Amino acid sequence: MEKITEQGFAIRQPYYPEHAEGEDYYLALARALASKIKVTAYGAELHDAMCNHLALTLCGYMQDIVADAGSWRSFVMANRQLYGYDVPFYSAGEDHVDFELNPEDIRFLCWYDIAMTDIERRDLYPYDPALVEMAGILYDWLDARYDDAPVIEEYNVARGVSLTDPNDRQEVFSLARWLFNGNWLLTPAYALTLAEMVNDPEVKADKDGILLQKRIDDAMVEDPTGPLALFLTEWLELILNGALPQSALHNDFQELATPHKYYTRFTEATGGKETAYFRTYDELNRFFIEGMGWEKGEEHLAHMKNDRDFVLMVNKAKGMLLSRGTARCIADPDNPLYDREYARQHAMDLFTMRGMCPGDLLRLAFRKGWLHDARFYGSDDTDIVARYGDFIARCYLQQYYRGD
């Protein structure tokens, strides 16, 4: 298989383009790790590029915890604050040591990096036996080298940096740029968004790359990233101040003195309900006219005429939100379109397919227990989504879940 190049490794370092003492050790570690991945039963099925990518991610984790650079520590702390556990899917063992090498960390990172990076394995079940077996082999291999791994002082670029000190502005900016563009933990979750950006016809036509750089610069401010879909300001506060800001928590229950103009009309038309379901476009359009008082004789949202199975939701802050092709997945007792067999096959799409369901509707349905059929494809395990649904949605949907 093709070796990880010096340049491919170097650009992932937070101090790039400088070279640090100990960097060669980790480059050799990453290369050996990629070869180790490839000879496992699960890794043998992966593309060489995926093996290299996973090796770089696991190597970044090793560098981070050895130097206590803060990325992994911050992720664990955020999980504890949001959910009450250290890492999604995998429980801590008896020998767990906070913020050091742990087998559950490796299991999670193997799932996360492959599911976010390999489009053919995006629906990877976290408890796939071959995946778990590979993670165990890689943990043992890394554990045998953990005590001898050198600390690269330059890797801890967050040490001593303050968000409030004007003299640290350049350091904060450099840290933010590396987190968004090169950090081993954050970048896998942003891979799909970046691929969409790169393949945009306008971007591809710009041979100088100026438009792509502008898009990336804008995205640093506008888009969430990483496994928890936090905005850069939230990651920075978490890493530098050790606390997850309030903005990272969902707030779906804000009481407004004056609700959105559609809220009262909608709830009057539905008898107080905040959701409504329509099998066909004609039924949906009739509700817009008769229920919401929109102009008669018009085909409202006519671009959806060929769609079906609509869900309309209203809330006081944003008004109406619409989802198409999802009604049969939602087990709302008031939903006449719910279809259990269909939901068993497709409810997971709401957590993993971007743009399919507004974030507010997904959070409502999940909180109400209306998506109890959702499961990873090829598995009958619905408990994993019931427990980790919010994390799954953050990780897969990114700005489509948190950006609204």
Side-chain angles (χ1 to χ4, degrees), residues 201-316:
E202 289 186 15
V203 170
K204 293 177 78 171
D206 179 21
K207 302 304 181 184
D208 296 329
I210 296 174
L211 181 56
L212 176 60
Q213 189 57 58
K214 183 182 185 305
R215 294 273 180 91
I216 292 174
D217 290 344
D218 291 344
M220 285 180 61
V221 177
E222 298 169 358
D223 289 352
T225 187
L228 293 171
L230 300 181
F231 293 92
L232 261 185
T233 52
E234 296 168 342
W235 282 114
L236 287 169
E237 194 162 333
L238 183 60
I239 291 170
L240 297 178
N241 295 344
L244 191 65
Q246 264 317 106
S247 62
L249 307 176
H250 293 312
N251 183 12
D252 297 332
F253 310 105
Q254 184 179 5
E255 292 296 330
L256 301 176
T258 305
H260 193 281
K261 62 181 181 179
Y262 287 149
Y263 184 83
T264 302
R265 194 65 180 262
F266 186 100
T267 51
E268 286 176 350
T270 59
K273 299 182 179 67
E274 295 183 342
T275 52
Y277 306 89
F278 309 93
R279 187 178 302 279
T280 67
Y281 169 80
D282 288 341
E283 293 175 10
L284 175 69
N285 193 50
R286 189 179 308 119
F287 177 81
F288 287 147
I289 295 170
E290 297 177 1
M292 299 301 297
W294 292 9
E295 188 173 350
K296 295 180 180 179
E298 289 289 322
E299 290 184 331
H300 301 283
L301 304 183
H303 62 285
M304 295 187 177
K305 288 181 67 173
N306 295 325
D307 295 307
R308 56 187 298 111
D309 300 330
F310 299 93
V311 184
L312 261 183
M313 171 193 172
V314 70
N315 68 31
K316 294 179 180 178

Side-chain angles (χ1 to χ4, degrees), residues 14-86:
Y15 47 81
Y16 178 80
E18 302 299 324
H19 183 88
E21 184 178 350
E23 184 177 320
D24 292 341
Y25 172 91
Y26 285 105
L27 172 58
L29 183 88
R31 286 172 170 172
L33 190 53
S35 298
K36 190 70 177 177
I37 292 167
K38 193 63 178 178
V39 298
T40 65
Y42 191 88
E45 302 297 322
L46 298 175
H47 301 298
D48 289 355
M50 183 68 249
C51 292
N52 285 340
H53 196 282
L54 177 57
L56 287 166
T57 295
L58 294 178
C59 185
Y61 161 80
M62 189 86 148
Q63 290 176 269
D64 183 90
I65 59 173
V66 168
D68 193 18
S71 294
W72 186 254
R73 175 186 291 271
S74 298
F75 177 59
V76 171
M77 290 169 58
N79 281 324
R80 289 176 179 173
Q81 185 172 343
L82 286 168
Y83 307 119
Y85 54 68
D86 285 1

Side-chain angles (χ1 to χ4, degrees), residues 38-188:
K38 193 63 178 178
V39 298
T40 65
Y42 191 88
E45 302 297 322
L46 298 175
H47 301 298
D48 289 355
M50 183 68 249
C51 292
N52 285 340
H53 196 282
L54 177 57
L56 287 166
T57 295
L58 294 178
C59 185
Y61 161 80
M62 189 86 148
Q63 290 176 269
D64 183 90
I65 59 173
V66 168
D68 193 18
S71 294
W72 186 254
R73 175 186 291 271
S74 298
F75 177 59
V76 171
M77 290 169 58
N79 281 324
R80 289 176 179 173
Q81 185 172 343
L82 286 168
Y83 307 119
Y85 54 68
D86 285 1
V87 297
F89 310 135
Y90 309 102
S91 300
E94 292 181 0
D95 297 329
H96 173 89
V97 180
D98 273 0
F99 317 126
E100 295 197 17
L101 181 70
N102 291 294
E104 60 272 15
D105 302 354
I106 303 302
R107 293 188 200 108
F108 170 76
L109 288 171
C110 285
W111 170 84
Y112 167 64
D113 195 62
I114 295 170
M116 295 298 105
T117 307
D118 189 339
I119 197 68
E120 297 175 2
R121 298 172 186 270
R122 195 160 171 81
D123 56 0
L124 178 60
Y125 179 48
Y127 303 142
D128 180 293
L131 174 73
V132 174
E133 178 189 47
M134 179 181 74
I137 293 169
L138 300 180
Y139 167 77
D140 290 340
W141 191 87
L142 288 168
D143 187 46
R145 291 154 179 80
Y146 182 60
D147 290 338
D148 296 326
V151 176
I152 299 180
E153 295 296 340
E154 293 89 340
Y155 198 85
N156 196 337
V157 290
R159 180 178 291 138
V161 176
S162 170
L163 278 174
T164 57
D165 187 343
N167 295 321
D168 286 349
R169 283 179 182 169
Q170 184 56 50
E171 286 78 6
V172 170
F173 178 77
S174 296
L175 173 59
R177 184 168 287 281
W178 174 68
L179 287 173
F180 197 81
N181 294 317
N183 181 271
W184 60 274
L185 179 63
L186 273 59
T187 53

